[in-house]
Amino acid sequence: MSDLVRMSITMDRDLSDRLDSLLEGGRNENRSEFIRDMIRCRLVEREWEQDQEVLGTITIVYDHHSSDVNRRLTHLQHEIHDNILATTHVHLTHELCAEVIIARGKASGIKKFADAVRQQKGILHTAFSPSTLGKVES
Ligand code: NI
């Protein structure tokens, strides 16, 4: 178990009140947990900014009747096949498909791939989730 460090933080009342309003109904139970979470998020952001080896997830919803989007998505993935860890395809409705692609690699490459996916015609929605390969300590 890592050493715990106790610290005090100074901020003006207004900002402190706003912090408390963020905590209400949020996922964090207290200020310490909130700040720890924020730091972890910032560390992951920095990994992406520094173009380190990272993990990213792309969710895509599309109409499979629309042009040849299915074939184009497969083609894009084959172009970086070494980076694709997994792809899950779900047939949402008669028309709609959802695909979740999990990729690892240099941040710039994963971003480029996500942008290329986003720009495909026939896609109704994409969501990109930048994450980490776990170098961030808890
Ligand atoms: Ni489908």
Side-chain angles (χ1 to χ4, degrees), residues 9 11 17 21-22 30 33 42 52 55 57-58 68 71 75 77-78 80-81 86-88 97 101 124 129-130 137:
I9 299 174
M11 65 181 80
D17 290 345
S21 79
L22 286 173
N30 57 54
E33 195 178 274
R42 181 65 195 114
Q52 293 182 20
L55 184 77
T57 304
I58 301 134
D68 59 350
R71 186 189 63 76
H75 176 74
Q77 291 176 75
H78 277 275
I80 62 158
H81 59 88
T87 303
T88 300
C97 300
I101 302 169
L124 300 177
S129 173
E137 298 290 323

Side-chain angles (χ1 to χ4, degrees), residues 108-126:
S108 55
I110 305 301
K111 273 188 214 160
K112 192 175 161 194
F113 171 74
D115 287 342
V117 166
R118 199 177 293 122
Q119 288 162 11
Q120 297 303 308
K121 277 186 188 169
I123 287 177
L124 300 177
H125 181 254
T126 61

Side-chain angles (χ1 to χ4, degrees), residues 40-109:
R40 288 189 199 103
C41 285
R42 181 65 195 114
L43 287 167
V44 171
E45 276 178 13
R46 195 172 64 178
E47 286 183 44
W48 282 79
E49 288 163 6
Q50 293 176 343
D51 201 17
Q52 293 182 20
E53 182 92 2
V54 293
L55 184 77
T57 304
I58 301 134
T59 303
I60 311 152
V61 177
Y62 64 93
D63 184 338
H64 73 93
H65 295 119
S66 169
S67 60
D68 59 350
V69 63
N70 211 330
R71 186 189 63 76
R72 284 182 280 118
L73 287 176
T74 301
H75 176 74
L76 284 173
Q77 291 176 75
H78 277 275
E79 282 187 333
I80 62 158
H81 59 88
D82 284 339
N83 299 102
I84 304 296
L85 296 176
T87 303
T88 300
H89 184 105
V90 178
H91 311 300
L92 287 178
T93 66
H94 191 263
E95 292 83 22
L96 296 179
C97 300
E99 211 155 288
V100 179
I101 302 169
I102 306 171
R104 73 180 290 171
K106 295 268 279 181
S108 55

Side-chain angles (χ1 to χ4, degrees), residues 22-24 26-34 36-37:
L22 286 173
L23 286 170
E24 283 172 26
R27 63 184 177 157
N28 297 104
E29 286 186 11
N30 57 54
R31 291 170 174 171
S32 292
E33 195 178 274
F34 181 88
R36 284 194 295 269
D37 240 20

